């Protein structure tokens, strides 16, 4: 297999480079990250049989044949990520242990505490994600447990820095000044940000490769920001960006390997394990890297998707188990008016309204002709539908607003 041959050929080279640049923490982190990515690339296909045997599998509704694929492959990527970050700990702090004048330097216990607290929070979220894949946890636990998992990071932030002020936009400074101290509200904010990041990626899903793809876009954007600011005259500012790189380089490597197997046509599913793991990685980087507000800018699509999905998330509109588009086969009719005036079976399963951005985007590819139409060529995906019967009044009001804005299509009974 290609992945096995590439890994066998590349591993000795990376190990040699690792030894050659063993005194440079960033170079060591890069080599370890590449090794973790290669091993993830090889172990994912080797683990599919074990996961299927354990019952961690599901049908891929994005393909006409609906093949059975292994789920929770994000567990493999997350495990190798944790191994890589553990192995990197000695290289990150070797200067203080090997320097001849190390006694004149105080060991940076605060930095070690930050790094270990980040890994503790990440481990907690990996455990939560895998538990969700196995036990299908309720939403109340998905909101509560990320808050608990972020406590180590919040405590380290409070003890080490305790900065709770935010910079005020220029046009508001005549009234509020240049900064505003939020006090304890700032810790509430970053705690809620950890909850949002871990669930936002899980909400915007349903198409092969979307979970890993959006995570890679965010991770690469942060890496570009870190590299652009790494040569700063302020040592603390430089350290914060290095800290972010140390966490994101191995994350990007294992995510690229996972994306190879998860992109359409997917051969594995990432599961909730990867979504929570990715979200907490970004939250930890934003909190301890001191760019939590910048991080929210990179979550713009996820914020829009959260607002768009609010009626179903909070139970105002019935929410199905899987909120994802459906595949229309080549020989099935795709519109609702059949020759005898009744609704076709295909239309009953392919017309709206699951509320995610991916469904909204897919709606633009759906034929709008009211006549019976058979599709010839490649199958395509259309928004699935859900019933509004039993929806709460506030949910119906929100649906009406979405309909006015052209974000959803609502089909009403004639009587």
């Amino acid at each position: 297999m290609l992945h096995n041959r590439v890994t066998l050929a590349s591993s000795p080279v990376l190990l040699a480079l690792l030894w050659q640049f063993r005194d440079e923490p960033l170079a060591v982190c890069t080599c370890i990250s590449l090794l973790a990515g290669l091993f993830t690339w090889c172990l994912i296909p080797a683990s599919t049989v074990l996961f299927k045997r354990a019952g961690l599998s599901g049908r891929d509704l994005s393909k006409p044949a609906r093949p059975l694929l292994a789920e929770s492959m994000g567990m493999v990527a997350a495990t190798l990520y944790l191994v890589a970050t553990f192995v990197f700990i000695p290289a990150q702090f070797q200067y203080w242990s090997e320097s001849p004048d190390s006694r004149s330097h105080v060991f940076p216990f605060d930095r070690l505490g930050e790094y270990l607290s980040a890994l503790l929070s990440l481990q907690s979220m990996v455990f939560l994600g895998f538990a969700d894949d196995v036990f299908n946890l309720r939403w109340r636990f998905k909101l509560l447990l990320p808050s608990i998992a972020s406590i180590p990071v919040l405590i380290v932030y409070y003890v080490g820095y305790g900065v709770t002020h935010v910079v005020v936009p220029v046009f508001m400074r005549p009234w509020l000044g240049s900064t505003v101290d939020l006090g304890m509200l700032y810790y509430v904010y970053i705690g809620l940000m950890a909850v949002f990041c871990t669930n936002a990626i899980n909400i915007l899903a349903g198409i092969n490769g979307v979970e890993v793809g959006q995570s890679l876009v965010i991770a690469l954007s942060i890496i570009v920001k870190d590299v652009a600011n790494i040569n700063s005259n302020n040592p603390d500012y430089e350290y914060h960006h290095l800290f972010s790189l140390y966490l994101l380089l191995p994350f990007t490597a294992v995510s690229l390997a996972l994306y190879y197997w998860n992109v359409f046509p997917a051969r594995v599913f990432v599961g909730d394990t990867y979504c929570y793991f990715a979200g907490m990685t970004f939250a930890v980087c934003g909190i301890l890297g001191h760019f939590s507000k910048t991080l929210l800018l990179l979550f713009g699509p996820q914020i829009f998707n959260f607002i768009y999905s609010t009626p179903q998330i909070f139970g105002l509109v019935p929410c199905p188990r899987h909120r994802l588009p459906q595949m229309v086969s080549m020989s099935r009719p795709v519109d609702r008016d059949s020759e005898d005036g009744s609704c076709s079976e295909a239309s009953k399963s392919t017309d709206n309204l699951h509320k995610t951005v991916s469904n909204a985007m897919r709606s633009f590819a759906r034929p709008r002709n009211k006549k019976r139409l058979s599709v010839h060529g490649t199958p395509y995906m259309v928004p699935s539908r859900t019933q509004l019967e039993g929806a709460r009044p506030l949910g119906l009001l929100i649906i009406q607003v979405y309909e006015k804005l052209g974000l959803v299509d609502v089909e009403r009974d004639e009587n």
Side-chain angles (χ1 to χ4, degrees):
M1 299 296 288
L2 174 62
H3 50 277
N4 292 328
R5 292 196 297 267
V6 172
T7 302
L8 289 175
S10 303
S11 296
V13 178
L14 291 174
L15 290 174
L17 291 174
L18 180 62
W19 178 257
Q20 179 69 26
F21 298 99
R22 61 187 181 276
D23 296 330
E24 298 292 336
L26 186 57
V28 172
C29 182
T30 303
C31 293
I32 293 176
S33 301
L34 292 175
L35 287 170
L38 289 174
F39 286 129
T40 304
W41 194 23
C42 292
L43 287 179
I44 286 178
S47 304
T48 54
V49 176
L50 297 176
F51 277 70
K52 287 182 179 179
R53 189 180 303 166
L56 295 174
S57 59
R59 297 288 178 181
D60 189 354
L61 303 181
S62 299
K63 301 184 182 69
R66 298 191 174 186
L68 185 67
L69 303 182
E71 289 185 348
S72 302
M73 284 295 108
M75 188 66 183
V76 178
T79 301
L80 288 170
Y81 171 86
L82 291 173
V83 171
T85 51
F86 291 157
V87 172
F88 176 65
I89 293 177
Q92 186 177 358
F93 299 98
Q94 66 175 346
Y95 170 77
W96 286 270
S97 61
E98 296 181 355
S99 177
D101 57 344
S102 59
R103 294 183 178 179
S104 62
H105 297 276
V106 179
F107 187 84
F109 291 102
D110 55 341
R111 296 185 178 183
L112 177 61
E114 287 184 0
Y115 194 75
L116 294 180
S117 67
L119 297 185
L120 179 59
S121 294
L122 290 173
Q123 280 184 300
S124 302
M125 291 312 301
V126 172
F127 173 77
L128 169 63
F130 191 69
D132 189 19
D133 287 333
V134 175
F135 301 111
N136 189 22
L137 300 177
R138 296 181 179 274
W139 272 104
R140 65 174 69 99
F141 300 112
K142 297 180 182 181
L143 297 177
L144 175 63
L145 294 180
S147 304
I148 299 176
S150 64
I151 290 177
V153 173
L154 297 180
I155 292 297
V156 169
Y157 182 88
Y158 174 78
V159 174
Y161 299 96
V163 177
T164 58
H165 64 265
V166 295
V167 179
V168 178
V170 177
F171 67 92
M172 299 179 63
R173 290 181 182 178
W175 300 278
L176 300 177
S178 58
T179 60
V180 173
D181 189 4
L182 299 180
M184 291 302 298
L185 291 178
Y186 188 81
Y187 293 99
V188 175
Y189 156 70
I190 57 180
L192 292 177
M193 186 185 69
V195 176
F196 171 76
C197 291
T198 52
N199 288 281
I201 295 177
N202 190 30
I203 295 173
L204 182 54
I207 300 176
N208 294 162
V210 168
E211 298 95 329
V212 188
Q214 61 181 308
S215 301
L216 282 171
V217 171
I218 297 173
L220 292 174
S221 301
I222 299 175
I223 288 175
V224 170
K225 173 184 179 297
D226 292 334
V227 172
N229 295 275
I230 201 172
N231 293 322
S232 173
N233 295 327
N234 188 338
D236 291 335
Y237 190 67
E238 180 179 353
Y239 162 72
H240 293 151
H241 288 288
L242 283 173
F243 178 87
S244 176
L245 280 175
Y246 293 156
L247 292 178
L248 287 178
L249 287 178
F251 173 80
T252 304
V254 299
S255 296
L256 283 171
L258 182 59
Y259 184 75
Y260 177 85
W261 299 108
N262 181 243
V263 70
F264 186 86
R267 285 148 287 186
V268 298
F269 289 138
V270 299
D272 292 339
T273 305
Y274 178 83
C275 297
Y276 296 144
F277 157 63
M280 182 56 75
T281 302
F282 298 139
V284 166
C285 290
I287 294 171
L288 297 180
H290 296 267
F291 56 88
S292 58
K293 295 175 288 296
T294 304
L295 179 64
L296 288 182
L297 296 178
L298 300 177
F299 270 82
Q302 286 76 17
I303 294 174
F304 173 77
N305 180 66
F306 172 78
I307 297 174
Y308 183 65
S309 306
T310 296
Q312 287 186 333
I313 293 175
F314 292 99
L316 302 177
V317 172
C319 183
R321 173 68 177 87
H322 297 288
R323 305 190 313 149
L324 73 166
Q326 292 184 354
M327 177 67 67
V328 175
S329 63
M330 292 182 293
S331 59
R332 292 175 63 186
V334 298
D335 258 327
R336 57 181 184 146
D337 293 336
S338 58
E339 293 178 356
D340 60 356
S342 61
C343 293
S344 66
E345 180 182 356
S347 67
K348 293 179 181 179
S349 62
T350 58
D351 272 339
N352 298 331
L353 162 82
H354 287 178
K355 306 181 66 54
T356 60
V357 170
S358 58
N359 279 322
M361 294 175 63
R362 288 291 177 181
S363 66
F364 291 102
R366 186 180 59 167
R368 297 294 180 178
N369 190 358
K370 295 298 181 180
K371 297 181 180 180
R372 183 181 179 88
L373 178 63
S374 296
V375 181
H376 300 282
T378 305
Y380 64 95
M381 300 178 72
V382 297
S384 54
R385 64 183 291 162
T386 188
Q387 299 292 333
L388 295 179
E389 184 178 0
R392 298 183 181 182
L394 180 58
L396 294 176
L397 177 62
I398 296 175
I399 295 299
Q400 292 177 359
V401 174
Y402 284 172
E403 185 181 17
K404 294 292 185 181
L405 297 175
L407 298 177
V408 298
D409 294 332
V410 179
E411 297 177 1
R412 296 175 172 83
D413 294 335
E414 295 182 357
N415 53 352

